[in-house]
Amino acid sequence: MQLVIYFLMILTYTHADYPALKALLSEKGLRDVSQMLSVQIQSKLKSTEIPEFRGGVDIKIGTVHYVLSNMRVVQCSMTDPSLVFVEGTGVSVEVSQLTLSITGSWATQFGIIHDDGSFDVAVYNIHIYTLLQLGDDAGRLSISTVQCSADVGSVDIHFHGGASFFFQPFVRAFSGQISGMIREQICPAIQQAINGLETTLQEIPVNIPVDPYLYLSIPLTSSPAVTHHSFELDIKGEFYSRSSPSEPPFSASVFDMPYAENYMLSIAASEFLVNSAAYAFLSSGALQINIRDDMIPKSSPIHLNTSQFGAFVPQLRTMYPNMEMQVLLYASETPLFSFSSGVIEIHVPAAAKFSAVKPDGALLPLFRLDVDLNFNGSARIDKNLTGAFQMKNLTLTLGSSEIGDFKTDTLEQISVMAVKMFLLPKLNAALKTGFPLPTPQGFSLINSQLLINNGFVAIFTDVQDSLTGL
């Protein structure tokens, strides 16, 4: 179950009426997780330290006190655990035909008589059934044990060493007790493990720092939805500015993530998640840059100089001849993403404030150009998340001016050329290489598919244990 929860928490009250992030584990996912669990349970059992047992056995003529210590599992075999969704509750976990071989040391005391040696135990057909409740605790996923039962088929025990005939009755009596001892330990051990997992879940932060500007809020917006074939989490999925957190002037819309029965895990994000990140960046003041002439390649035919810009703005040559210029380029409103069938569209409202640089470094405001940019493109998964974009439209208008009106047609044409020749090639080169998707440590995503639909984007994927290949 820790693997199940871990997969779903890769991605967990809200201003938005609807969640912007959804995560779904399918029935196939649960089956595949059971295979991983079989390998990990056996590995875990072989490395688990078994605490020593102390007790006493009445052999009619008195009580033999015993200590079993230095115990370890030397062999373990089992069929894959059966994990089944229980609608409206959570997950049932059933382990059957678990067989353990254990070695250890024994020591006994009967009055003044002491004896010791080693022992081997084979425990056959251990059967465990647990029903787990999955819920929502103040926006965090919660897990608790509803039901637990355990049974032990048979026990074969052999004691080695020890010479006293007093202890032969003890061996026969103890063999009858050990199956009960093992059975009584199983459910408390499971309960302890579930309590530890619940503590871990409650310690998972619901606000995750992403970078110096943003954090992501991921509390659950409702209790997990458990059906007979899936387990779905609805997650807030909203970015906030770390310096000035506030709600955006738009809200999330409802969307239904398709059920992909042939994939283990499905993760979907609505436009709201991406757009809240853009709003948070804008609120943080991150969507702006000061452009100086020394940042422009020397080979560029245009430089930030009033004499050169005089070709487009004639009054610059007469009012402020041969002065360096500086441009503050910034998003004037929130850039907005929209998803439609197979297409991602981006609308970027921006502005560029041009200033002349005086000899003492002070800035002299000149004019502001308003830019309206539209891009569209696509994305896909090929090991990495890749994509390609093209410019759909660019318009440039004079927003304000301290030097009088002028036409912007030529500047618009130059801006279009600059975006097509410089900005888009660099962007698409980076997108062609792509970006790796975040995965849990020790696991990898395989057979992944990306779906861009109206209002949301979804990733359907299988998860593979990097060590076992399962």
Side-chain angles (χ1 to χ4, degrees), residues 50-69:
I50 303 175
E52 67 177 30
F53 284 114
R54 292 177 177 269
V57 176
D58 185 358
I59 60 172
K60 307 303 182 182
I61 60 173
T63 299
V64 175
H65 298 281
Y66 64 86
V67 177
L68 304 181
S69 59

Side-chain angles (χ1 to χ4, degrees), residues 261-278:
E261 63 180 359
N262 295 324
Y263 294 91
M264 292 176 60
L265 185 66
S266 304
I267 303 169
S270 73
E271 297 167 346
F272 179 82
L273 181 138
V274 183
N275 290 331
S276 70

Side-chain angles (χ1 to χ4, degrees), residues 304-341:
L304 290 177
N305 182 282
T306 55
S307 296
Q308 286 200 14
F309 252 78
F312 316 114
V313 187
Q315 54 267 53
L316 282 178
R317 287 175 172 172
T318 56
M319 296 177 67
Y320 305 106
N322 200 30
M323 292 179 67
E324 284 193 11
M325 297 172 63
Q326 184 170 303
V327 182
L328 174 61
L329 180 63
Y330 60 96
S332 54
E333 296 179 23
T334 305
L336 292 177
F337 290 72
S338 62
F339 304 136
S340 57
S341 182

